[in-house]
Amino acid sequence: MIITTGLEPNETTMAHAIELAESFAMQLVPRRDASIQQLRRQHQDDAVLVVSAKGARLEIPDQPAFFFHPNNSAFRIKRLERGDTDTMLSVCQIQPGDDVLDATLGLGADSIVFAYAIGENGRVAGIESQTIIAKLVEDGMKRWRNGSDALESAMRRVEVITGHHLDVMSSMKDKSFDVVYFDPMFETTVDASAGIGGVRAFANAETLSAEAVQEALRVARRRVVLKEGSEGKLHERFGFTPYRKRERQAVYSFREIGGGE
Ligand SMILES: C[S@@+](CC[C@H](N)C(=O)[O-])C[C@H]1O[C@@H](n2cnc3c(N)ncnc32)[C@H](O)[C@@H]1O
């Protein structure tokens, strides 16, 4: 991958690009007036991370570009502000002040909704195994503007942890979080939106392991919650109780700590 800027970057964009280049431990390639195609040829690398006033965007030929955006968290938070409920929050029995571990961060939309619901006294940590996703989502959550105050303040409070969730959870103490949440990649594509499409090319598509479920049950104080596609069978494999299963919709399921489900 190479890192460059848009044409004629201002000081803020330059500082952003330098910070990202440092975080990836790479050199920033000056854009001058070269096209992205010319940079690809000069550096013999198809993957170009372009930093502009709009944010950072990874461009690879024949793939949807990957960039951070709040995805469905913006409208979910609006609905919560109107007093509606959110199925994920209900399955997790979220209360203000809770601590949540999102073991499959992705674009972070679910983590942002958790952060909104939990408020300033709780903690949301999101684990992402793919460095490119983790770094761009962490960067985006820190810088995104144009959302409501509630959305921006929620995303600023999400902590990003880069690593495989099994390794990360293994280093955590028993009962460190009220809830541990898994949303692994669905085996069949159900969401073709640009944002998730962008993640798909870089995502870790491995299935959830029995070891990860065991670690989550150790690390959680209240519940471990799983989201999967409508055809998903992981909840059956791991003994999770489905929550209001509806045809053709994502299935949420949970395991109560203490075996009381
Ligand atoms: C379906 S996406 C999650 C979407 C997310 N809930 C959201 O709201 O944007 C799954 C993400 O989990 C990551 N992932 C899969 N297996 C993982 C693992 N073992 N450890 C950490 N991250 C993992 C994938 O790379 C992908 O980014």
Side-chain angles (χ1 to χ4, degrees), residues 66 69-73 76 88 102-114 126-130 133-134 137 161-169 181-186 196 199-200 202-209 212 227:
F66 177 55
H69 62 91
N71 211 26
N72 63 25
S73 65
R76 286 165 72 191
M88 177 191 80
D102 178 350
T104 49
L105 177 74
L107 264 186
D110 288 334
S111 277
I112 296 169
V113 174
F114 280 128
I127 311 175
E128 174 55 55
S129 58
Q130 308 309 104
I133 299 177
V137 168
I161 303 172
T162 308
H164 190 290
H165 55 218
L166 187 54
D167 299 332
V168 177
M169 287 191 291
Y181 173 74
F182 290 108
D183 173 17
M185 296 302 286
F186 294 166
I196 287 294
V199 167
R200 187 162 284 279
F202 305 99
N204 179 346
E206 74 188 61
T207 189
L208 186 62
S209 70
K227 178 186 176 193

Side-chain angles (χ1 to χ4, degrees), residues 13-48:
T13 299
M14 270 315 283
H16 182 192
I18 290 167
E19 191 185 312
L20 269 177
E22 277 168 8
S23 130
F24 280 102
M26 292 175 71
Q27 275 205 321
L28 180 64
V29 174
R31 177 71 184 266
R32 301 203 173 89
D33 53 5
S35 69
I36 299 293
Q37 263 314 341
Q38 285 168 330
L39 290 181
R40 284 197 177 108
R41 275 199 299 273
Q42 278 163 22
H43 295 266
Q44 300 194 347
D45 199 329
D46 273 346
V48 184

Side-chain angles (χ1 to χ4, degrees), residues 57-153:
R57 189 182 165 94
L58 181 58
E59 299 192 9
I60 301 181
D62 306 321
Q63 280 185 25
F66 177 55
F67 53 94
F68 170 76
H69 62 91
N71 211 26
N72 63 25
S73 65
F75 74 77
R76 286 165 72 191
I77 288 177
K78 269 202 194 111
R79 282 203 320 227
L80 287 165
E81 286 179 310
R82 285 201 310 254
D84 288 351
T85 54
D86 182 278
T87 309
M88 177 191 80
L89 296 177
S90 304
V91 191
C92 295
Q93 300 181 321
I94 291 300
Q95 299 292 326
D98 276 350
D99 299 329
V100 173
L101 181 63
D102 178 350
T104 49
L105 177 74
L107 264 186
D110 288 334
S111 277
I112 296 169
V113 174
F114 280 128
Y116 169 78
I118 279 161
E120 307 214 331
N121 296 325
R123 173 182 182 207
V124 180
I127 311 175
E128 174 55 55
S129 58
Q130 308 309 104
T131 306
I132 186 81
I133 299 177
K135 282 193 192 295
L136 292 188
V137 168
E138 183 174 34
D139 176 74
M141 291 215 226
K142 208 164 62 184
R143 293 170 189 274
W144 176 272
R145 299 253 178 264
N146 304 326
S148 66
D149 289 350
L151 176 69
E152 287 185 15
S153 122

Side-chain angles (χ1 to χ4, degrees), residues 159-180:
E159 285 167 48
V160 176
I161 303 172
T162 308
H164 190 290
H165 55 218
L166 187 54
D167 299 332
V168 177
M169 287 191 291
S170 302
S171 70
M172 290 173 164
K173 295 196 176 118
D174 294 1
K175 302 193 183 299
S176 313
F177 290 87
D178 293 288
V179 174
V180 177

